[in-house]
Amino acid sequence: MSFLTIERLTKTYDQITAVDAISLDIERGEFVSLLGPSGCGKTTTLQMIAGFVEVTSGRILLNGRDLSQVPPAERGLGIVFQSYALFPHMTVAQNVGFGLEMRRVGRAERDRRIAAALQLVGLQTMADRYPRRMSGGQQQRVALARALVIEPDLLLLDEPLSNLDAKLREEMQGELRDIQERTGLTTILVTHDQAEAMALSDRVVVMNKGAIEQVAPPETAYQTPTTRFVADFLGRTNTLEGLCDGRSVTVRGQVWSLAEAREAGPIFVAVRPERVAFGGTGLAGKVRKRVFQGSQWFFAVESEAGPIFVLAPNGSGTLPAVDEDVHLAWSMEDMRLLSREEARVG
């Protein structure tokens, strides 16, 4: 049995299904992200695991223990919220030790564990400081230390980095992953940020309208999405209509041979912008937009098959100008073929 097992977990509100019979296994020590747009059910799922939202049906098993009737305070979980929820009248050490005090941990052991938690998050010199005198990143570390100090079986993170600016958020992502790897703590992160989920996770759980679309390592979900929703949500993608005859795929007169036979019929082709190149004798088009993005250039091209986006590395040679006629090419290996059912969105 997996360390955390979710079996057909469902939550309904009157006639609305927020989470629709999802099942998921998480191994001990994994870092898993629940990823999806607002309203997809990811936060509700986390809150059911935490015990803050009552389960309509299904089971949550933590190390074989059914949590359905266990109060939140007795589930052995560490939780970090988006707001951090620090007590302004308490020092850093007092905030971190609050959970231990509620559990009636002895003073000597409490002091030892507070010191260890602050050392882990790099705040050992700020034990006597108050939250109002700390930056957002430092407050986030206090909240993390408070969750870790109780030595939880499972760490739940509810968009804990969303209030930080872009540069600090990126730095904290690295620190958070480093702490998780050092502690070996099984962790579930809720986020709508694709880059954050892919940077931190062993696996991502892409959710949409209360259901799970795909569960996979970040690289696999990005490179081989199983639905059009996943392809579109995990970064920008080009989705074009094509036709399969069983042995090849045709998009607007351009033909790619298949390594293995596939059922014939209408098909969608998904290809990432960074895999599309200018040149050759591929699809004809005209550049409609060209945007400098630092390390790369973004192009929007009007083509025979519809709009196509291209990402070209900065310094990769002469690049086309706006209104210039171009040809677009990519390889069979860079395409993901989606059936009509797989290509559904929403």
Side-chain angles (χ1 to χ4, degrees):
M1 179 178 291
S2 300
F3 183 65
L4 178 69
T5 298
I6 295 173
E7 297 180 349
R8 296 193 60 78
L9 190 64
T10 301
K11 180 60 184 179
T12 59
Y13 297 96
D14 297 325
Q15 302 301 314
I16 299 174
T17 300
V19 177
D20 190 6
I22 67 170
S23 295
L24 178 66
D25 290 318
I26 297 177
E27 301 301 327
R28 186 186 293 274
E30 264 197 303
F31 195 125
V32 173
S33 290
L34 305 183
L35 174 65
S38 297
C40 72
K42 58 187 185 296
T43 297
T44 302
T45 299
L46 193 82
Q47 290 176 338
M48 285 192 285
I49 296 171
F52 301 146
V53 169
E54 184 178 356
V55 174
T56 301
S57 63
R59 295 201 303 166
I60 302 169
L61 303 175
L62 181 61
N63 205 18
R65 178 192 185 200
D66 190 344
L67 298 182
S68 59
Q69 301 302 316
V70 179
E74 298 176 15
R75 296 193 177 196
L77 310 179
I79 306 172
V80 180
F81 298 102
Q82 180 178 347
S83 65
Y84 311 146
L86 302 178
F87 298 111
H89 63 285
M90 292 184 179
T91 65
V92 167
Q94 290 169 337
N95 267 284
V96 173
F98 182 76
L100 298 177
E101 190 172 351
M102 292 299 98
R103 289 166 173 78
R104 301 184 184 279
V105 175
R107 180 61 180 270
E109 175 64 8
R110 190 163 73 240
D111 289 346
R112 183 193 69 78
R113 287 165 67 172
I114 291 172
L118 292 178
Q119 179 77 30
L120 187 63
V121 300
L123 294 179
Q124 60 271 25
T125 64
M126 297 187 179
D128 297 325
R129 187 169 297 188
Y130 288 90
R132 64 178 177 273
R133 297 179 53 212
M134 307 182 79
S135 68
Q138 290 168 340
Q139 291 183 39
Q140 194 269 353
R141 290 188 184 95
V142 176
L144 181 58
R146 184 177 58 186
L148 295 173
V149 77
I150 63 172
E151 298 177 352
D153 296 320
L154 180 67
L155 179 63
L156 305 180
L157 305 173
D158 186 9
E159 303 204 47
L161 308 181
S162 61
N163 289 331
L164 305 179
D165 63 62
K167 184 176 181 180
L168 182 56
R169 184 171 185 163
E170 185 174 334
E171 292 175 358
M172 288 306 304
Q173 287 173 6
E175 292 188 20
L176 182 58
R177 182 57 169 164
D178 181 60
I179 290 170
Q180 189 272 337
E181 290 178 339
R182 280 187 281 155
T183 60
L185 189 58
T186 309
T187 302
I188 300 176
L189 169 71
V190 162
T191 183
H192 63 272
D193 187 312
Q194 304 94 321
E196 181 171 281
M198 289 192 285
L200 290 171
S201 310
D202 296 310
R203 289 189 298 160
V204 293
V205 180
V206 185
M207 299 184 66
N208 181 36
K209 293 189 176 180
I212 292 176
E213 294 264 348
Q214 185 172 0
V215 181
E219 184 177 358
T220 300
Y222 182 82
Q223 293 183 347
T224 56
T226 55
T227 69
R228 184 177 176 181
F229 175 83
V230 176
D232 287 339
F233 191 77
L234 290 181
R236 195 188 297 268
T237 194
N238 298 297
T239 306
L240 312 173
E241 292 191 52
L243 185 65
C244 178
D245 64 6
R247 297 300 305 180
S248 65
V249 173
T250 303
V251 178
R252 290 287 180 172
Q254 301 297 308
V255 181
W256 292 267
S257 297
L258 297 173
E260 298 180 0
R262 185 184 175 104
E263 183 179 353
I267 202 166
F268 281 91
V269 172
V271 58
R272 297 291 183 185
E274 64 269 23
R275 296 299 184 182
V276 181
F278 293 112
T281 58
L283 289 174
K286 182 183 290 287
V287 175
R288 293 304 187 191
K289 183 184 292 186
R290 167 178 158 144
V291 180
F292 180 63
Q293 297 182 334
S295 62
Q296 63 190 10
W297 286 88
F298 167 79
F299 294 86
V301 178
E302 182 182 301
S303 81
E304 301 167 332
I308 295 180
F309 303 119
V310 182
L311 288 176
N314 187 21
S316 58
T318 303
L319 295 172
V322 173
D323 291 332
E324 184 174 336
D325 292 326
V326 295
H327 286 85
L328 305 173
W330 58 86
S331 69
M332 183 66 226
E333 291 73 21
D334 292 326
M335 297 195 310
R336 174 64 177 163
L337 306 183
L338 303 174
S339 67
R340 292 285 175 172
E341 173 59 25
E342 290 171 330
R344 62 187 171 85
V345 178

